[in-house]
Amino acid sequence: MTSPAPESPLAAPQRKKLFIRTWGCQMNVYDSTRMADVLAPLGYGPAETPEEADMVILNTCHIREKASEKVFSDLGRLRLLKTEKEQAGQKMVLAVAGCVAQAEGAEITVRAPWVDIVLGPQTYHRLPEMVARASRAAGAQIDTDFPVEQKFDLLPEVNANQGPIAFLTIQEGCDKFCSFCVVPYTRGAEFSRPVAAILAEARRLVAGGAREIALLGQNVNAWHGEAPDGSTWSLSRLLYALAEIDGLARIRYTTSHPRDMDDALIEAHGRIPQLMPFLHLPVQSGSDKVLAAMNRGHKAELFYRIADRLREARPDMALSSDFIVGHPGETAADHAATMQLVEKVGFALAYSFKYSPRPGTPAAGQPFQVPEAEKDARLQELQAVLRRQQDEFNRACVGREVDILWTGPGRHPGQIAGRTPWLQPVHAIGPAELAGRIARVRLTDAHPNSLSAVLLEEKELTPA
């Protein structure tokens, strides 16, 4: 994902330009926004391109295959730009942040000594100090610690002007230690932000124009936050409190773990109108043997039961998931179990990948690695079914009248774009003034990755 650094209301008179390139999950998008907030008091405003920037941050992700090589490739191009600026008497600060920085900080300084700052996901609240040190001293400034102090307590107030859809991190880190995943090593142990801080940030976001808030966390449904009275709230109780905020029309949360889908949270989906009928719930495999090898801590039967209960609580519930094929030791029978789960549960959307080793994770050294050709064949078979299910879900929506949250202009003149309750992109002919509002439409056509619609009437945003 490439975008200019977000604007911030916290900025001092802007004399310098900041460009942030973001890879990976929505939590990285949130982190990029917060880094822009942190640097705003130093006078950094958003740059549209690296060429016009005084500082460039690569906010990286280590989940996908060859993630670090993509970062080093980008750093090679930025080295030329940095040299050009130096020859012209200008200075460009170059920083690598995120999970690749956390996992490979020392390697970055060896392979790319022109990098000024390397910082992990838990230390970007220290970014102003690191920028100051980088301006005074030669050599990279590295901070990939897991500090004792909580970074959220040290950050400025969030930039409230994120638009109609805003993201709010409520939980970070992971204690699950799935065999294939680097997150516990790059993001640290699970941490839940306190109730008061979350509600205050949510109110600021709504006051700034947000009509939908997506709660973020590596294991967001594991959130257990401290309330002002000293009690501990679960995610379900937090959702009820968020639903009482005037003007907040939609609530989502991602990413969840099946082990943390408790009864109260499932029940909340049937009781809170603002909680959208779409849930991303990664299962990874339909084989109990593979789930055990992955250290997922649950069996396929739990996922079947959760899917059934969610649809009982909310009949229009649509599910999304993640799948990994070819985990070490996966057999043809194990893959068939995954295909069976997909067919029985049915998904409106899903993400699927071939297993690829991550250094330092348990699965990387396991025997019985599946040959690449077999992984390719299994992935193609899985994706064909998932694509069919997505198309079927989208086509089944045609003819329905639904409420759309409009987010901005569409790709073509006169179009406006938005999202359905099930997170599908929608476009229609309509006035730009609808952005940030909810209007009812009739869905008319299904396309590979979006839906067409015609406007019916506007629906005022009032508390449910």
Side-chain angles (χ1 to χ4, degrees):
M1 180 183 300
T2 300
S3 62
E7 293 198 41
S8 172
L10 307 169
Q14 294 175 0
R15 299 179 298 277
K16 293 173 281 190
K17 295 289 187 179
L18 170 67
F19 180 86
I20 304 178
R21 177 164 291 151
T22 307
W23 287 277
C25 64
Q26 289 295 346
M27 290 195 67
N28 265 20
V29 176
Y30 178 90
D31 287 349
S32 291
T33 300
R34 300 316 321 270
M35 283 190 277
D37 290 344
V38 165
L39 291 170
L42 301 186
Y44 283 96
E48 294 293 332
T49 66
E51 287 73 17
E52 65 181 73
D54 300 286
M55 181 173 182
V56 173
I57 301 175
L58 303 183
N59 192 11
T60 61
C61 175
H62 210 283
I63 296 297
R64 301 292 174 247
E65 187 175 9
K66 299 180 180 177
S68 61
E69 291 308 312
K70 293 176 183 177
V71 173
F72 284 113
S73 177
D74 220 16
L75 287 174
R77 290 187 289 269
L78 289 170
R79 179 187 189 180
L80 299 176
L81 177 59
K82 185 172 183 177
T83 300
E84 290 175 3
K85 284 180 173 286
E86 289 173 349
Q87 291 173 346
Q90 302 170 358
K91 181 176 176 62
M92 186 178 82
V93 177
L94 181 55
V96 180
C99 292
V100 172
Q102 183 69 44
E104 304 186 33
E107 181 71 8
I108 291 170
T109 63
V110 171
R111 292 181 58 181
W114 55 93
V115 171
D116 300 293
I117 296 171
V118 179
L119 69 157
Q122 303 304 327
T123 59
Y124 61 74
H125 59 289
R126 299 176 180 172
L127 195 48
E129 177 186 350
M130 298 183 74
V131 171
R133 291 204 307 265
S135 66
R136 294 193 302 264
Q141 304 298 311
I142 304 177
D143 194 341
T144 55
D145 292 339
F146 291 105
V148 174
E149 76 272 13
Q150 296 300 339
K151 69 181 180 186
F152 292 103
D153 295 338
L154 302 172
L155 290 169
E157 285 190 0
V158 69
N159 176 5
N161 301 307
Q162 293 188 29
I165 298 176
F167 299 96
L168 198 170
T169 292
I170 66 169
Q171 182 272 342
E172 280 199 312
C174 181
D175 295 341
K176 301 294 192 290
F177 289 92
C178 296
S179 66
F180 53 83
C181 186
V182 299
V183 167
Y185 312 102
T186 59
R187 288 276 182 173
E190 288 181 2
F191 163 73
S192 295
R193 295 181 66 189
V195 171
I198 294 169
L199 294 179
E201 186 169 328
R203 293 188 186 101
R204 287 195 296 271
L205 290 169
V206 172
R211 294 297 172 258
E212 175 180 309
I213 290 179
L215 307 177
L216 304 179
Q218 266 83 35
N219 286 299
V220 69
N221 57 340
W223 177 88
H224 286 84
E226 183 180 357
D229 63 1
S231 65
T232 299
W233 285 17
S234 65
L235 179 59
S236 58
R237 186 169 180 184
L238 177 66
L239 292 171
Y240 284 105
L242 288 167
E244 295 177 1
I245 298 176
D246 288 344
L248 180 56
R250 293 183 170 188
I251 305 170
R252 305 183 191 272
Y253 61 92
T254 193
T255 291
S256 300
H257 196 290
R259 286 162 53 187
D260 296 312
M261 288 298 301
D262 60 28
D263 292 343
L265 183 55
I266 292 172
E267 184 180 277
H269 280 274
R271 292 178 174 266
I272 302 176
Q274 295 93 328
L275 189 54
M276 291 294 95
F278 180 88
L279 179 64
H280 184 67
L281 187 62
V283 63
Q284 308 299 356
S285 175
S287 162
D288 287 346
K289 187 191 81 177
V290 173
L291 289 171
M294 289 178 166
N295 195 36
R296 292 290 287 171
H298 66 86
K299 295 183 177 181
E301 177 56 33
L302 175 66
F303 193 87
Y304 285 119
R305 188 162 66 249
I306 291 171
D308 288 343
R309 294 190 59 209
L310 282 167
R311 286 164 172 160
E312 290 171 2
R314 183 78 188 250
D316 61 344
M317 174 66 72
L319 294 176
S320 172
S321 198
D322 291 344
F323 295 90
I324 294 174
V325 302
H327 187 275
E330 183 188 73
T331 64
D334 296 323
H335 175 66
T338 296
M339 298 301 297
Q340 181 182 42
L341 182 144
V342 170
E343 291 285 10
K344 289 180 69 174
V345 174
F347 296 93
L349 179 68
Y351 304 94
S352 52
F353 310 94
K354 293 185 297 183
Y355 169 78
S356 59
R358 293 293 178 271
T361 59
Q366 287 180 1
F368 309 113
Q369 298 284 332
V370 179
E372 283 298 316
E374 185 62 31
K375 285 193 284 189
D376 285 336
R378 292 176 188 177
L379 183 63
Q380 290 178 27
E381 182 184 16
L382 175 62
Q383 289 183 337
V385 174
L386 293 171
R387 181 78 237 187
R388 169 175 58 79
Q389 290 187 346
Q390 182 178 341
D391 290 343
E392 288 172 351
F393 181 78
N394 288 344
R395 288 197 301 270
C397 291
V398 172
R400 298 178 69 171
E401 295 184 4
V402 299
D403 293 332
I404 304 298
L405 173 57
W406 299 102
T407 54
R411 295 176 60 185
H412 303 291
Q415 273 190 350
I416 188 165
R419 295 277 178 169
T420 72
W422 305 282
L423 210 58
Q424 300 143 299
V426 174
H427 57 266
I429 300 300
E433 292 76 17
L434 276 177
R437 303 192 70 83
I438 287 179
R440 197 157 186 83
V441 304
R442 180 180 296 110
L443 299 172
T444 57
D445 293 287
H447 309 288
N449 297 299
S450 66
L451 296 164
S452 298
V454 293
L455 287 165
L456 297 177
E457 61 182 356
E458 186 172 342
K459 177 182 178 181
E460 292 296 324
L461 290 172
T462 55

mmCIF file of all heavy atoms in Angstrom, residues 265-287:
data_model
loop_
_atom_site.group_PDB
_atom_site.id
_atom_site.type_symbol
_atom_site.label_atom_id
_atom_site.label_comp_id
_atom_site.label_asym_id
_atom_site.label_seq_id
_atom_site.Cartn_x
_atom_site.Cartn_y
_atom_site.Cartn_z
ATOM 1 N N LEU A 265 -19.942 -12.718 23.143
ATOM 2 C CA LEU A 265 -19.576 -12.036 21.901
ATOM 3 C C LEU A 265 -20.471 -12.502 20.751
ATOM 4 O O LEU A 265 -20.920 -11.689 19.937
ATOM 5 C CB LEU A 265 -18.104 -12.293 21.583
ATOM 6 C CG LEU A 265 -17.529 -11.584 20.357
ATOM 7 C CD1 LEU A 265 -17.749 -10.086 20.427
ATOM 8 C CD2 LEU A 265 -16.036 -11.893 20.225
ATOM 9 N N ILE A 266 -20.736 -13.788 20.678
ATOM 10 C CA ILE A 266 -21.642 -14.291 19.642
ATOM 11 C C ILE A 266 -23.035 -13.688 19.821
ATOM 12 O O ILE A 266 -23.675 -13.245 18.853
ATOM 13 C CB ILE A 266 -21.695 -15.828 19.686
ATOM 14 C CG1 ILE A 266 -20.340 -16.408 19.260
ATOM 15 C CG2 ILE A 266 -22.807 -16.355 18.786
ATOM 16 C CD1 ILE A 266 -20.217 -17.908 19.443
ATOM 17 N N GLU A 267 -23.507 -13.632 21.059
ATOM 18 C CA GLU A 267 -24.821 -13.054 21.342
ATOM 19 C C GLU A 267 -24.879 -11.586 20.947
ATOM 20 O O GLU A 267 -25.912 -11.096 20.467
ATOM 21 C CB GLU A 267 -25.131 -13.217 22.825
ATOM 22 C CG GLU A 267 -26.506 -12.740 23.241
ATOM 23 C CD GLU A 267 -26.748 -12.939 24.723
ATOM 24 O OE1 GLU A 267 -27.129 -14.055 25.112
ATOM 25 O OE2 GLU A 267 -26.540 -11.972 25.492
ATOM 26 N N ALA A 268 -23.780 -10.861 21.117
ATOM 27 C CA ALA A 268 -23.753 -9.436 20.779
ATOM 28 C C ALA A 268 -24.063 -9.197 19.308
ATOM 29 O O ALA A 268 -24.641 -8.169 18.938
ATOM 30 C CB ALA A 268 -22.388 -8.842 21.141
ATOM 31 N N HIS A 269 -23.688 -10.144 18.458
ATOM 32 C CA HIS A 269 -23.965 -9.982 17.030
ATOM 33 C C HIS A 269 -25.457 -9.975 16.729
ATOM 34 O O HIS A 269 -25.880 -9.413 15.720
ATOM 35 C CB HIS A 269 -23.268 -11.090 16.235
ATOM 36 C CG HIS A 269 -21.817 -10.833 16.010
ATOM 37 N ND1 HIS A 269 -21.353 -10.078 14.959
ATOM 38 C CD2 HIS A 269 -20.721 -11.203 16.712
ATOM 39 C CE1 HIS A 269 -20.033 -10.009 15.008
ATOM 40 N NE2 HIS A 269 -19.623 -10.679 16.072
ATOM 41 N N GLY A 270 -26.252 -10.574 17.586
ATOM 42 C CA GLY A 270 -27.691 -10.544 17.395
ATOM 43 C C GLY A 270 -28.390 -9.412 18.103
ATOM 44 O O GLY A 270 -29.570 -9.151 17.859
ATOM 45 N N ARG A 271 -27.671 -8.729 18.999
ATOM 46 C CA ARG A 271 -28.304 -7.712 19.846
ATOM 47 C C ARG A 271 -27.881 -6.280 19.518
ATOM 48 O O ARG A 271 -28.563 -5.342 19.936
ATOM 49 C CB ARG A 271 -27.985 -7.999 21.321
ATOM 50 C CG ARG A 271 -28.644 -9.258 21.852
ATOM 51 C CD ARG A 271 -28.246 -9.515 23.287
ATOM 52 N NE ARG A 271 -28.981 -10.643 23.865
ATOM 53 C CZ ARG A 271 -30.090 -10.528 24.566
ATOM 54 N NH1 ARG A 271 -30.598 -9.332 24.783
ATOM 55 N NH2 ARG A 271 -30.693 -11.588 25.058
ATOM 56 N N ILE A 272 -26.757 -6.093 18.830
ATOM 57 C CA ILE A 272 -26.248 -4.743 18.570
ATOM 58 C C ILE A 272 -26.441 -4.417 17.091
ATOM 59 O O ILE A 272 -25.717 -4.950 16.234
ATOM 60 C CB ILE A 272 -24.757 -4.629 18.953
ATOM 61 C CG1 ILE A 272 -24.554 -4.977 20.425
ATOM 62 C CG2 ILE A 272 -24.229 -3.235 18.652
ATOM 63 C CD1 ILE A 272 -23.096 -4.983 20.859
ATOM 64 N N PRO A 273 -27.401 -3.559 16.750
ATOM 65 C CA PRO A 273 -27.649 -3.256 15.334
ATOM 66 C C PRO A 273 -26.438 -2.647 14.627
ATOM 67 O O PRO A 273 -26.232 -2.866 13.425
ATOM 68 C CB PRO A 273 -28.811 -2.258 15.388
ATOM 69 C CG PRO A 273 -29.453 -2.474 16.714
ATOM 70 C CD PRO A 273 -28.353 -2.884 17.642
ATOM 71 N N GLN A 274 -25.630 -1.878 15.354
ATOM 72 C CA GLN A 274 -24.476 -1.238 14.726
ATOM 73 C C GLN A 274 -23.358 -2.227 14.387
ATOM 74 O O GLN A 274 -22.465 -1.905 13.597
ATOM 75 C CB GLN A 274 -23.903 -0.147 15.645
ATOM 76 C CG GLN A 274 -24.841 1.014 15.885
ATOM 77 C CD GLN A 274 -25.668 0.825 17.143
ATOM 78 O OE1 GLN A 274 -26.002 -0.309 17.514
ATOM 79 N NE2 GLN A 274 -26.001 1.922 17.806
ATOM 80 N N LEU A 275 -23.374 -3.398 14.989
ATOM 81 C CA LEU A 275 -22.342 -4.400 14.731
ATOM 82 C C LEU A 275 -22.660 -5.085 13.408
ATOM 83 O O LEU A 275 -23.669 -5.765 13.265
ATOM 84 C CB LEU A 275 -22.313 -5.416 15.880
ATOM 85 C CG LEU A 275 -21.162 -6.425 15.900
ATOM 86 C CD1 LEU A 275 -19.813 -5.744 15.841
ATOM 87 C CD2 LEU A 275 -21.261 -7.299 17.149
ATOM 88 N N MET A 276 -21.796 -4.883 12.426
ATOM 89 C CA MET A 276 -22.079 -5.317 11.067
ATOM 90 C C MET A 276 -22.090 -6.844 10.945
ATOM 91 O O MET A 276 -21.336 -7.539 11.635
ATOM 92 C CB MET A 276 -21.059 -4.727 10.106
ATOM 93 C CG MET A 276 -21.185 -3.215 9.916
ATOM 94 S SD MET A 276 -22.743 -2.706 9.105
ATOM 95 C CE MET A 276 -23.795 -2.328 10.507
ATOM 96 N N PRO A 277 -22.929 -7.363 10.030
ATOM 97 C CA PRO A 277 -23.091 -8.816 9.887
ATOM 98 C C PRO A 277 -22.001 -9.444 9.023
ATOM 99 O O PRO A 277 -22.271 -10.202 8.085
ATOM 100 C CB PRO A 277 -24.457 -8.936 9.216
ATOM 101 C CG PRO A 277 -24.547 -7.707 8.362
ATOM 102 C CD PRO A 277 -23.878 -6.620 9.178
ATOM 103 N N PHE A 278 -20.767 -9.128 9.328
ATOM 104 C CA PHE A 278 -19.621 -9.642 8.581
ATOM 105 C C PHE A 278 -18.482 -9.831 9.561
ATOM 106 O O PHE A 278 -18.118 -8.903 10.277
ATOM 107 C CB PHE A 278 -19.218 -8.660 7.482
ATOM 108 C CG PHE A 278 -18.028 -9.111 6.663
ATOM 109 C CD1 PHE A 278 -18.196 -9.904 5.536
ATOM 110 C CD2 PHE A 278 -16.745 -8.740 7.019
ATOM 111 C CE1 PHE A 278 -17.109 -10.321 4.786
ATOM 112 C CE2 PHE A 278 -15.646 -9.143 6.271
ATOM 113 C CZ PHE A 278 -15.830 -9.946 5.153
ATOM 114 N N LEU A 279 -17.913 -11.041 9.595
ATOM 115 C CA LEU A 279 -16.848 -11.331 10.551
ATOM 116 C C LEU A 279 -15.722 -12.073 9.864
ATOM 117 O O LEU A 279 -15.953 -13.087 9.199
ATOM 118 C CB LEU A 279 -17.380 -12.173 11.710
ATOM 119 C CG LEU A 279 -16.348 -12.560 12.775
ATOM 120 C CD1 LEU A 279 -15.811 -11.326 13.476
ATOM 121 C CD2 LEU A 279 -16.950 -13.533 13.785
ATOM 122 N N HIS A 280 -14.499 -11.562 10.044
ATOM 123 C CA HIS A 280 -13.312 -12.258 9.564
ATOM 124 C C HIS A 280 -12.791 -13.125 10.694
ATOM 125 O O HIS A 280 -12.361 -12.629 11.729
ATOM 126 C CB HIS A 280 -12.250 -11.251 9.128
ATOM 127 C CG HIS A 280 -11.036 -11.900 8.530
ATOM 128 N ND1 HIS A 280 -11.083 -12.565 7.325
ATOM 129 C CD2 HIS A 280 -9.757 -12.010 8.963
ATOM 130 C CE1 HIS A 280 -9.887 -13.040 7.037
ATOM 131 N NE2 HIS A 280 -9.064 -12.724 8.022
ATOM 132 N N LEU A 281 -12.845 -14.441 10.488
ATOM 133 C CA LEU A 281 -12.476 -15.397 11.533
ATOM 134 C C LEU A 281 -11.554 -16.457 10.929
ATOM 135 O O LEU A 281 -12.012 -17.450 10.364
ATOM 136 C CB LEU A 281 -13.740 -16.050 12.111
ATOM 137 C CG LEU A 281 -13.551 -16.948 13.327
ATOM 138 C CD1 LEU A 281 -12.982 -16.153 14.507
ATOM 139 C CD2 LEU A 281 -14.875 -17.598 13.722
ATOM 140 N N PRO A 282 -10.247 -16.275 11.004
ATOM 141 C CA PRO A 282 -9.309 -17.215 10.378
ATOM 142 C C PRO A 282 -9.388 -18.607 10.994
ATOM 143 O O PRO A 282 -9.382 -18.760 12.213
ATOM 144 C CB PRO A 282 -7.941 -16.572 10.639
ATOM 145 C CG PRO A 282 -8.235 -15.121 10.829
ATOM 146 C CD PRO A 282 -9.549 -15.093 11.534
ATOM 147 N N VAL A 283 -9.426 -19.621 10.125
ATOM 148 C CA VAL A 283 -9.425 -21.009 10.582
ATOM 149 C C VAL A 283 -8.151 -21.723 10.149
ATOM 150 O O VAL A 283 -7.689 -22.637 10.806
ATOM 151 C CB VAL A 283 -10.681 -21.769 10.092
ATOM 152 C CG1 VAL A 283 -10.716 -21.860 8.586
ATOM 153 C CG2 VAL A 283 -10.762 -23.154 10.726
ATOM 154 N N GLN A 284 -7.586 -21.357 9.006
ATOM 155 C CA GLN A 284 -6.310 -21.844 8.457
ATOM 156 C C GLN A 284 -6.397 -23.242 7.859
ATOM 157 O O GLN A 284 -5.802 -23.503 6.818
ATOM 158 C CB GLN A 284 -5.183 -21.797 9.510
ATOM 159 C CG GLN A 284 -5.000 -20.461 10.199
ATOM 160 C CD GLN A 284 -4.644 -19.318 9.257
ATOM 161 O OE1 GLN A 284 -4.450 -19.497 8.068
ATOM 162 N NE2 GLN A 284 -4.553 -18.109 9.809
ATOM 163 N N SER A 285 -7.108 -24.170 8.477
ATOM 164 C CA SER A 285 -7.188 -25.543 7.965
ATOM 165 C C SER A 285 -8.458 -26.199 8.485
ATOM 166 O O SER A 285 -8.974 -25.810 9.534
ATOM 167 C CB SER A 285 -5.971 -26.360 8.402
ATOM 168 O OG SER A 285 -6.085 -27.727 8.009
ATOM 169 N N GLY A 286 -8.938 -27.207 7.739
ATOM 170 C CA GLY A 286 -10.078 -27.982 8.195
ATOM 171 C C GLY A 286 -9.686 -29.322 8.788
ATOM 172 O O GLY A 286 -10.551 -30.107 9.176
ATOM 173 N N SER A 287 -8.379 -29.579 8.874
ATOM 174 C CA SER A 287 -7.878 -30.850 9.395
ATOM 175 C C SER A 287 -7.460 -30.696 10.849
ATOM 176 O O SER A 287 -6.635 -29.844 11.182
ATOM 177 C CB SER A 287 -6.680 -31.321 8.562
ATOM 178 O OG SER A 287 -5.921 -32.292 9.250
#
